[in-house]
Amino acid sequence: MNCPKCGTKIEEGSLYCTACGEDIHIVPDFESEVEQSMQDTLEQIAEELQDTAGKTGDRKDSPRPKKSYMGWIIGIFFLFIIVLAGAIIGAWYHMEHSVEYQLSRAAQCVETQEYEQAVEYYLRARELGSTGPETGFALADCYYAMDNVSGYEGQLLALIDSGTLDQKQLERAYAGLIQSYRTRNDYQTIDSLLNNCDNETIRSSYQNLQARAPEFGFEEGYYQEIIPLKLSSNTAGTIYYTLDGSEPDENSTVYTAPIFLDNGEYTVKAVFVNQYGLVSDVVTKNYQIELKIPTAPDVETASGEYSSPTLIEVNCEEGETVYYTVDGTVPTDKSSRYTGPIPMPLGDSEYSFAVIEEDGIVGEVTQRSYSLQLRTDVTLDMAIVAVYSEMLRTGRIQSPEGYAGENGIYQYQFQYPMTVGEEDYYIFAEQHVDESGGSIRTGSYYAVHIYTGICYKLLPDENNNYSIVEIP
C-alpha cells in the first residue's frame, strides 16, 4: 500500500507514513477488480489536482490545500463503497425474493443431485407465490429421490387436495400415490383414497384395488312374485350374505347363485371382500314377498265310483298350465302336464291337479278320488291273454312270452279302459325290448273288447281320434 499523500510505500501494519507523517486509514480488502477500479479513480483525481496546482504557481503553503483535497478523495472513496454495497444488497434482495431465481437454482441443484438444497429452493419459491402444479410435482420428485416417503406422499396428497390439477395431472398424482402405497402393501389406505375420490375415470382405473359394496339386482320393497335376487361386485373377491338381518362376515353364506325369495319377509345383508382382503361396507335391503297364488283348477270329473270307462277332464283358463299326479302328492313342474282328457285307470286312484306358473309358483291344489270297476266277465288278465294269442296267430311273436326271434321281444302293456265309438275296450301299448334290456314303444296299440274279449288294432288319426280295425 502507498501513502495517499506522498506516494511512499507503506509497510504492512504501519499506521502512518514514515516519509511525511500522514495518518494511514485502514479499509477492508476488496476484490481485485474493485480495488483496481478504485486505484484508477484515485490516480485520475491526483492527475487533475496536479494540473490545477501547476496553474496557480508554486506556493509555500501548498501542503495545506493538498490536505484538503485528500479529504475529498477519501469522501468520494467511501461514497463509492456505500453505492457498491447498496448495489450488492439490492441484488441479493432481488434474488432472495424472485420466484424465477429460486426455481432456477432448484433445477440446478436437481441436476447435481443436491436434492435437500433443491427442496429448500422449491419451498422458498412456494413461499414467494409459486403455486403452479409443476412446482409441487418437482418437490415431490425430490422427496422421492431422497427416499422421504412421508414427504413424497404428503406432497402428492396436497396436490390432489389443491383442486388445481387438470385430468392428466390428477392421474399422475394418483398413480404415484397408489404405487407408493402398493409398495408397502397398504391396500386399506388405497381403498380409502379411492372411496373419497369423486373422479369416476380414476375410480374405474383402479377398481380392482377397491372393495365396493355389493350391488343388488332388485330394489328393496314389496313384490308379488318370486325374486331371483342377484348380487354382484366390481372385481374379483367374495360376497357373503345373510337373510335374517344378522351382520355378514367371512363365516356367512358365500354368494354363488341367485337367491330365490318367495313368500315372506327378508332382511338381506351383504358384504364384499376383495382379493387383497379389503372389506366393503355392508349393504342392507328389506323385501316383502306376497305371492299371488293361482286358484285351484276346475276338474269337471267328480270324485266317486265308476263302472264304465270314463275320461277325467279339466277346464283350463287361457294361458294356464296344469300339472297332475296320480299318487296324491302336490304337483311340480316335473309332474305330468295336462294336455287333454285323461282316461280313468282301473281300480282306485288319487289325482291332484294344480296350476304352475312360469316362475315356479304352485297354485292351490284340486284333488279327486276315483274307483273304476268294470261290470264284465272279461277280466284284465283274460284281455292280456287275448292280445298275446292274436300276436302269435299273426306271427308277430313266436312264443307266449313275446319272443320274436332276431327281432327281440315284444311286450304288451295295459294302459287304461277307453270308449271308442260306443264300445268299451281294454287298451294295450306295444313295446320292443332289445338284447341289452332296453325298451321302447313301437307306436302300435291294440284294443280288447271288454265284453267279447276280441282283440283289434287301435288306430289314431291326425286329430288323435281313435278307430277300431280288425286284425287280418
Side-chain angles (χ1 to χ4, degrees), residues 436-449:
S436 65
S439 62
I440 185 173
R441 288 193 176 185
T442 65
S444 296
Y445 291 87
Y446 298 90
V448 176
H449 197 282

Side-chain angles (χ1 to χ4, degrees), residues 84-373:
L84 180 62
I88 294 173
I89 293 173
W92 170 85
Y93 182 84
H94 173 73
M95 290 187 295
E96 185 67 17
H97 291 77
S98 170
V99 172
E100 291 77 11
Y101 174 79
Q102 301 296 326
L103 295 177
S104 174
R105 290 291 295 131
Q108 293 174 8
C109 290
V110 170
E111 290 181 1
T112 58
Q113 298 184 358
E114 300 176 81
Y115 298 111
E116 292 186 4
Q117 187 64 37
V119 168
E120 294 182 6
Y121 280 117
Y122 281 129
L123 291 175
R124 178 60 180 161
R126 196 157 64 180
E127 290 178 2
L128 296 174
S130 178
T131 58
E134 290 307 319
T135 299
F137 281 114
L139 183 57
D141 291 340
C142 287
Y143 284 130
Y144 183 83
M146 296 163 57
D147 290 329
N148 186 339
V149 176
S150 61
Y152 175 69
E153 294 176 354
Q155 182 58 37
L156 292 179
L157 280 172
L159 283 168
I160 292 173
D161 294 338
S162 68
T164 61
L165 304 184
D166 59 28
Q167 183 63 31
K168 289 186 176 180
Q169 291 170 333
L170 197 62
E171 292 173 0
R172 175 183 172 186
Y174 272 100
L177 196 57
I178 290 174
Q179 182 57 42
S180 182
Y181 292 145
R182 293 190 70 175
T183 300
R184 59 175 189 272
N185 295 322
D186 189 359
Y187 292 100
Q188 191 63 53
T189 301
I190 294 176
D191 184 57
S192 177
L193 175 71
L194 294 174
N195 284 336
N196 292 325
C197 175
D198 57 3
N199 188 296
E200 194 57 37
T201 300
I202 291 176
R203 287 170 62 93
S204 298
S205 299
Y206 297 101
Q207 61 178 347
N208 63 314
L209 299 177
Q210 297 177 262
R212 294 188 183 180
E215 295 183 358
F216 283 54
F218 287 84
E219 290 297 324
E220 63 181 351
Y222 173 79
Y223 293 87
Q224 290 183 315
E225 58 185 348
I226 294 177
I227 293 179
L229 180 61
K230 294 182 179 181
L231 306 180
S232 60
S233 59
N234 65 306
T235 185
T238 304
I239 296 175
Y240 300 91
Y241 72 93
T242 62
L243 300 178
D244 57 2
S246 61
E247 292 299 310
D249 56 26
E250 296 184 11
N251 296 318
S252 302
T253 304
V254 176
Y255 174 82
T256 57
I259 308 165
F260 288 91
L261 305 180
D262 53 17
N263 265 330
E265 295 184 0
Y266 302 87
T267 297
V268 184
K269 290 192 173 186
V271 68
F272 173 64
V273 180
N274 75 0
Q275 58 186 323
Y276 301 106
L278 297 176
V279 182
S280 75
D281 294 333
V282 174
V283 179
T284 302
K285 294 199 180 284
N286 296 300
Y287 298 92
Q288 181 179 354
I289 312 300
E290 188 174 329
L291 300 179
K292 185 179 180 181
I293 305 298
T295 58
D298 178 20
V299 180
E300 286 188 347
T301 308
S303 297
E305 296 181 355
Y306 292 82
S307 60
S308 62
T310 305
L311 293 177
I312 304 171
E313 297 188 60
V314 180
N315 289 325
C316 297
E317 298 291 336
E318 184 177 355
E320 285 186 341
T321 303
V322 176
Y323 291 83
Y324 67 92
T325 61
V326 295
D327 58 1
T329 59
V330 176
T332 69
D333 55 4
K334 300 295 188 297
S335 303
S336 298
R337 182 176 177 178
Y338 178 83
T339 57
I342 306 168
M344 185 180 297
L346 278 176
D348 297 333
S349 57
E350 191 78 27
Y351 278 78
S352 296
F353 298 87
V355 175
I356 300 180
E357 297 186 345
E358 291 183 359
D359 56 6
I361 298 177
V362 180
E364 297 177 353
V365 177
T366 298
Q367 291 186 322
R368 292 288 187 266
S369 297
Y370 303 108
S371 179
L372 175 59
Q373 304 295 331

